[in-house]
Amino acid sequence: MFEGKIKIKGAFRMKIAVIGTGYVGLIQSVGLSKLGFDCFGIDIDENKIKMLNAGKSPIWEDKLEEILKKHNGKNLKFTTNFGVIEECDAVFICVGTPQSSDGTADLKYIFAAAEGVKPYLKKNAVVVIKSTVPVGTNRKVSKILEGCNCDVVSNPEFLKEGSAIDDFFNTDRVVLGFEDNTKHEARDSMMNIYSYFYEKKTKFVITDWESAELIKYASNSFLAVKISFVNEIARLCDTVGADIKDVTKGMGYDRRIGEHFLNAGLGYGGSCFPKDVNALVKQFEENKLEAKIIASADEVNLGLIDNFFDRILKKLKNPEGKNIALFGVAFKPNTDDLRESRAVELINKLLKKKANVSCFDYVDGALKNAEELLGNKIKICKTVKETAKEADVIIIATEYSQFNDEDWGAIAERVNTKLIFDGRNILDKNKVVKYGFEYFGIGR
Ligand code: UDX
């Protein structure tokens, strides 16, 4: 993370508004305030704004609240009042672009935000679209803002939940999409905002709106394809007796492939990959093209849970009345986010079969959200040992490496049946087998 005194060589202090206080907007406003800019976080949700003004973050993200508390009320303020935009040199639009029922990205919040800021934009202000938006959206926003004497810039975000603050300060690249006749004032403003990254020699990609928009979708979809590819290889491993862990290790040492995003398991979830893959497929369709590889990434991903669940059923026979210990509920480690969580999908399938489900996660907020989502249908536990009590099967659904370091001897003493389905290949198989567990991983 960026440590030390806020001082941007050559940068001038700007006032910046950030519309949206979700995962993207909040990290952006908090990050920019740490870099020394005067920021307003704007949201229409009064409760969120109240919480933020009290120094509390509505989402759990490592290091977020610490920086929030430090800058809150000083160079970082939260408000529902769009009027503050009159003072701002730049406005970041960081609202959600959820999936519509037909798979396309729903842009209603983007357009509402553009309409909302329009009356207040000062001369030469720059409106920056940070949300993930389909090709053509910056152009549409620019149409909405016609007559405002402002410029629209595409600047997609690449934050990962769970490490979003670190990702903000250590981003691999800054992507800026300008239109040909963007005024130099707007280009200067963007370079000023990102001068910290320029100085630390972060790679910049300066391009047009369409390419910038596509960089985001292509990146997320490529990673999704990578995960589905590995999961497909894992299926073959299961059948022929190869170990996917060794296969991916051997692949990853090839620098052209790279070692990241090669973990086989229950596949991808979260608020981005599933919706972005679908939205990109739709963009192909809208242009009378077919996205064969990208579409099959989604197809493979959707099949993983069914396959895993079938394997569990084969072993358990009838899950009715059986005690299931689920380790991990969030869609990935270090987040409270349950959106498109494979764990939640599994829970719903198990509940349908009338199983008793207990679950655990290392992030309290994830358990709180699970309680809110599933009410009294499941038992929320504070430790893995409590979760494992009288379990007929332990299922690992979120890739926390800490699960491997738990006291498996003590866990073995508590369960009814020593059976593990490791949906994330996290455990050292030999270790748990030593304690008498029967172990099933993915492609091992
Ligand atoms: C993603 C992108 O990584 C980020 O750049 C973008 O801005 C938003 O979308 P995020 O959804 O937060 O970030 O999580 P990420 O770490 O990318 O993981 C996504 C999903 O893929 C998780 O469900 C994770 O469990 C799964 N995954 C990841 C795998 O199954 N295998 C892997 O090897 C890596």
Side-chain angles (χ1 to χ4, degrees):
M1 188 170 68
F2 169 61
E3 289 298 348
K5 276 208 159 252
I6 296 161
K7 191 167 169 289
I8 317 161
K9 243 197 302 172
F12 57 89
R13 216 164 158 143
M14 287 169 78
K15 285 197 177 176
I16 300 173
V18 180
I19 315 291
T21 58
Y23 282 94
V24 177
L26 192 52
I27 302 293
Q28 187 69 10
S29 56
V30 166
L32 289 176
S33 74
K34 185 159 170 71
L35 286 178
F37 297 102
D38 292 313
C39 289
F40 294 104
I42 305 178
D43 206 296
I44 49 171
D45 185 333
E46 288 188 10
N47 285 333
K48 268 190 178 178
I49 295 299
K50 253 191 215 152
M51 260 184 101
L52 285 162
N53 276 323
K56 285 225 137 307
S57 169
I59 52 166
W60 191 89
E61 191 65 48
D62 194 25
K63 300 174 190 157
L64 174 60
E65 222 168 71
E66 187 190 314
I67 310 177
L68 169 69
K69 283 203 166 93
K70 205 161 157 196
H71 294 273
N72 200 18
K74 295 172 192 139
N75 65 331
L76 174 63
K77 292 177 182 134
F78 293 97
T79 179
T80 53
N81 174 20
F82 276 61
V84 296
I85 290 168
E86 282 177 349
E87 306 167 37
C88 293
D89 311 290
V91 182
F92 281 81
I93 295 187
C94 302
V95 295
T97 52
Q99 185 169 308
S100 310
S101 52
D102 65 355
T104 56
D106 185 346
L107 297 174
K108 66 171 178 274
Y109 301 116
I110 294 280
F111 297 144
E115 298 283 2
V117 304
K118 189 175 178 180
Y120 306 105
L121 287 171
K122 74 178 197 187
K123 192 176 167 209
N124 288 336
V126 43
V127 176
V128 191
I129 313 282
K130 204 148 191 65
S131 311
T132 302
V133 291
V135 176
T137 309
N138 277 266
R139 209 164 281 286
K140 286 181 189 159
V141 169
S142 162
K143 275 246 158 347
I144 294 176
L145 299 177
E146 236 163 35
C148 286
N149 202 355
C150 68
D151 285 281
V152 175
V153 177
S154 169
N155 172 220
E157 58 84 20
F158 299 101
L159 308 171
K160 298 184 295 298
E161 285 183 31
S163 57
I165 289 286
D166 283 342
D167 290 346
F168 178 91
F169 290 106
N170 300 302
T171 183
D172 290 332
R173 75 290 214 192
V174 174
V175 175
L176 298 174
F178 298 108
E179 203 209 6
D180 283 351
N181 56 4
T182 304
K183 291 192 289 297
H184 73 85
E185 285 89 346
R187 293 176 192 261
D188 290 350
S189 291
M190 293 314 295
M191 291 316 283
N192 186 63
I193 292 169
Y194 286 113
S195 56
Y196 164 72
F197 300 94
Y198 192 71
E199 279 169 24
K200 68 183 268 198
K201 302 203 170 11
T202 304
K203 295 202 165 60
F204 274 63
V205 181
I206 312 284
T207 182
D208 52 86
W209 282 335
E210 285 73 17
S211 305
E213 290 164 332
L214 204 47
I215 285 171
K216 175 60 195 265
Y217 276 105
S219 301
N220 269 7
S221 299
F222 185 80
L223 292 171
V225 166
K226 206 171 174 189
I227 296 169
S228 283
F229 180 91
V230 156
N231 280 318
E232 195 158 88
I233 299 290
R235 291 288 292 276
L236 186 61
C237 287
D238 268 330
T239 312
V240 300
D243 187 334
I244 190 69
K245 284 268 208 190
D246 288 343
V247 173
T248 49
K249 197 200 266 177
M251 289 166 67
Y253 286 153
D254 184 329
R255 273 171 293 173
R256 292 168 304 174
I257 297 173
E259 63 190 305
H260 300 291
F261 276 70
L262 290 179
N263 296 328
L266 300 178
Y268 55 82
S271 64
C272 293
F273 284 175
K275 98 173 157 65
D276 292 350
V277 166
N278 286 331
L280 185 56
V281 170
K282 285 287 165 189
Q283 289 172 65
F284 272 77
E285 282 174 16
E286 281 160 12
N287 289 287
K288 314 242 169 322
L289 298 168
E290 197 185 350
K292 287 186 191 161
I293 295 174
I294 304 161
S296 46
D298 184 52
E299 206 183 308
V300 169
N301 196 55
L302 289 174
L304 296 172
I305 281 285
D306 289 338
N307 184 259
F308 188 65
F309 193 63
D310 287 347
R311 288 173 65 201
I312 297 172
L313 286 191
K314 234 186 223 159
K315 195 75 203 160
L316 276 189
K317 307 285 187 280
N318 183 7
E320 188 172 344
K322 295 258 167 70
N323 299 330
I324 318 289
L326 202 86
F327 287 10
V329 281
F331 88 93
K332 63 180 276 191
N334 301 319
T335 177
D336 58 0
D337 196 346
L338 264 48
R339 285 177 289 176
E340 301 279 335
S341 161
R342 308 288 96 177
V344 173
E345 260 185 67
L346 274 177
I347 294 174
N348 285 328
K349 277 178 174 290
L350 288 160
L351 290 176
K352 250 196 198 145
K353 295 274 180 200
K354 298 196 171 66
N356 309 317
V357 181
S358 302
C359 66
F360 166 79
D361 199 287
Y362 290 103
V363 173
D364 287 342
L367 289 175
K368 208 172 127 243
N369 288 340
E371 197 161 17
E372 259 169 42
L373 187 74
L374 297 153
N376 50 13
K377 291 190 218 148
I378 53 169
K379 188 174 165 220
I380 306 284
C381 301
K382 290 268 176 230
T383 62
V384 289
K385 284 183 196 147
E386 187 191 345
T387 322
K389 199 168 163 233
E390 292 173 11
D392 295 300
V393 58
I394 291 172
I395 302 175
I396 297 188
T398 309
E399 61 267 48
Y400 274 108
S401 54
Q402 291 101 302
F403 287 138
N404 194 44
D405 306 325
E406 291 287 345
D407 182 350
W408 284 93
I411 294 171
E413 282 167 20
R414 282 169 171 76
V415 297
N416 275 344
T417 314
K418 290 181 186 171
L419 175 62
I420 298 173
F421 274 87
D422 182 356
R424 295 293 179 179
N425 286 346
I426 282 298
L427 300 183
D428 173 355
K429 181 177 169 179
N430 295 332
K431 179 161 92 180
V432 290
V433 166
K434 234 175 44 206
Y435 287 113
F437 280 99
E438 191 175 6
Y439 175 91
F440 295 94
I442 306 274
R444 300 175 85 180

